[in-house]
Amino acid sequence: KAILQSMVEGVLALDGDGRVHWLSPSAERLFGLVSAQAMGKRLAELVRQPELNALVSRALKDRQPAAEEIRFLGPQEQIVRFQAAPCEGGQAHTALVLVAQDITELRRLEGVRREFVANVSHELKTPLTSIKGLVETLLTGALEDPQHNRRFVTLIEEDATRLGRLIDDLLALSQIESGAVSLNVQPVHLRTLFEQIIPVFKPQLSDGIVGVDLELTPHTPPVLGDPERLREVFVNLLDNAIKFNKPGGRVMI
């Protein structure tokens, strides 16, 4: 009893008619039930969920374990995995043990991951398509055109750099998820850091549509941090600030 009461998963014991014989505190919270009021009542009366009731009926009838993921609609949607196991050789009035595991957050994170992979795939495809088009143009004659060949090669280099940044982001995410990130914390002079970052965006700033103003003075105190990680953060922020600005806009650091 102590083990069952301490489990995160909800546990219910049902008799042969699907009536509640016992339920754990986690099951009470999951279904919004009170143990004293639920005892002796059919689960179908307490939880209005056709899929769950069908699962219980099937397990009782077939005397075979059964499992199913069921989506509960309400103010807050829940996805719960149920495992029903017939109880053999136990107390006479206990016929089925039902275990309920709330996997809502797990499925949400899986959805986020799928969306992330789809977005990254799209982001990777754009520069690859551009590189392929530029290479085909060079191979069909532009390579011999001195007026344009260097410009095409420069565009290929920019797209390759963008691809490299995306791959670095994926590797960094993998390290974060595996807990393998180590921080090299030291005093960082932010003005010096930005003086190294801003030239990276020279191609985007060359047309003069958007400008960048560095308002940090040489006397700005250093901060404690990992210079490489801070560089990644600020490159991302500055890239967005330039990309989504307006004509004549300024980015002030």
Side-chain angles (χ1 to χ4, degrees):
K1 187 175 180 180
I3 292 171
L4 292 173
Q5 286 181 329
S6 65
M7 287 176 60
V8 175
E9 294 83 0
V11 182
L12 300 92
L14 309 178
D15 66 13
D17 293 324
R19 298 181 185 277
V20 175
H21 173 55
W22 186 86
L23 71 163
S24 69
S26 293
E28 289 183 299
R29 290 191 294 271
L30 183 62
F31 296 112
L33 300 175
V34 177
S35 182
Q37 298 174 357
M39 290 297 197
K41 292 185 179 178
R42 289 172 59 87
L43 185 62
E45 301 173 33
L46 300 169
V47 182
R48 303 288 185 178
Q49 187 68 29
E51 294 94 334
L52 175 58
N53 298 325
L55 174 71
V56 169
S57 298
R58 186 167 70 250
L60 286 170
K61 179 183 176 182
D62 299 341
R63 306 304 297 166
Q64 293 291 328
E68 190 172 344
E69 285 184 19
I70 298 175
R71 188 180 299 269
F72 285 75
L73 301 177
Q76 289 187 329
E77 186 180 83
Q78 283 181 299
I79 302 173
V80 182
R81 176 173 175 78
F82 290 96
Q83 291 179 287
C87 186
E88 304 293 350
Q91 298 181 36
H93 46 272
T94 301
L96 187 76
V97 174
L98 186 67
V99 179
Q101 180 186 13
D102 188 346
I103 57 172
T104 308
E105 183 65 12
L106 178 64
R107 291 293 177 259
R108 187 190 71 81
L109 291 174
E110 288 177 352
V112 169
R113 178 180 289 276
R114 283 195 299 271
E115 185 178 342
F116 173 78
V117 170
N119 288 337
V120 168
S121 300
H122 176 73
E123 289 288 332
L124 288 171
K125 189 175 180 180
T126 302
L128 277 173
T129 302
S130 175
I131 289 172
K132 185 179 178 183
L134 289 166
V135 169
E136 288 176 352
T137 303
L138 287 170
L139 291 175
T140 53
L143 188 62
E144 314 302 328
D145 183 353
Q147 289 185 327
H148 298 98
N149 55 12
R150 290 187 65 86
R151 184 170 67 86
F152 287 161
V153 172
T154 301
L155 291 172
I156 290 172
E157 182 186 30
E158 291 172 7
D159 283 326
T161 301
R162 183 180 171 192
L163 275 175
R165 286 207 300 266
L166 286 168
I167 292 168
D168 288 342
D169 287 345
L170 287 172
L171 291 174
L173 180 65
S174 177
Q175 286 181 326
I176 290 169
E177 287 189 331
S178 64
V181 175
S182 59
L183 295 177
N184 178 25
V185 179
Q186 57 184 278
V188 180
H189 292 274
L190 292 181
R191 181 179 173 86
T192 303
L193 186 65
F194 275 107
E195 286 174 345
Q196 298 168 356
I197 291 172
I198 293 173
V200 173
F201 296 94
K202 187 177 178 181
Q204 291 98 310
L205 299 170
S206 60
D207 53 18
I209 294 176
V210 176
V212 174
D213 298 324
L214 181 59
E215 298 185 357
L216 295 172
T217 70
H219 305 294
T220 301
V223 299
L224 282 177
D226 184 323
E228 284 306 311
R229 299 300 178 192
L230 285 172
R231 178 186 174 88
E232 291 172 7
V233 171
F234 289 132
V235 164
N236 187 279
L237 290 172
L238 192 54
D239 183 41
N240 284 332
I242 295 170
K243 186 186 301 180
F244 300 107
N245 214 309
K246 58 186 178 181
R250 309 291 300 178
V251 179
M252 288 173 286
I253 304 168

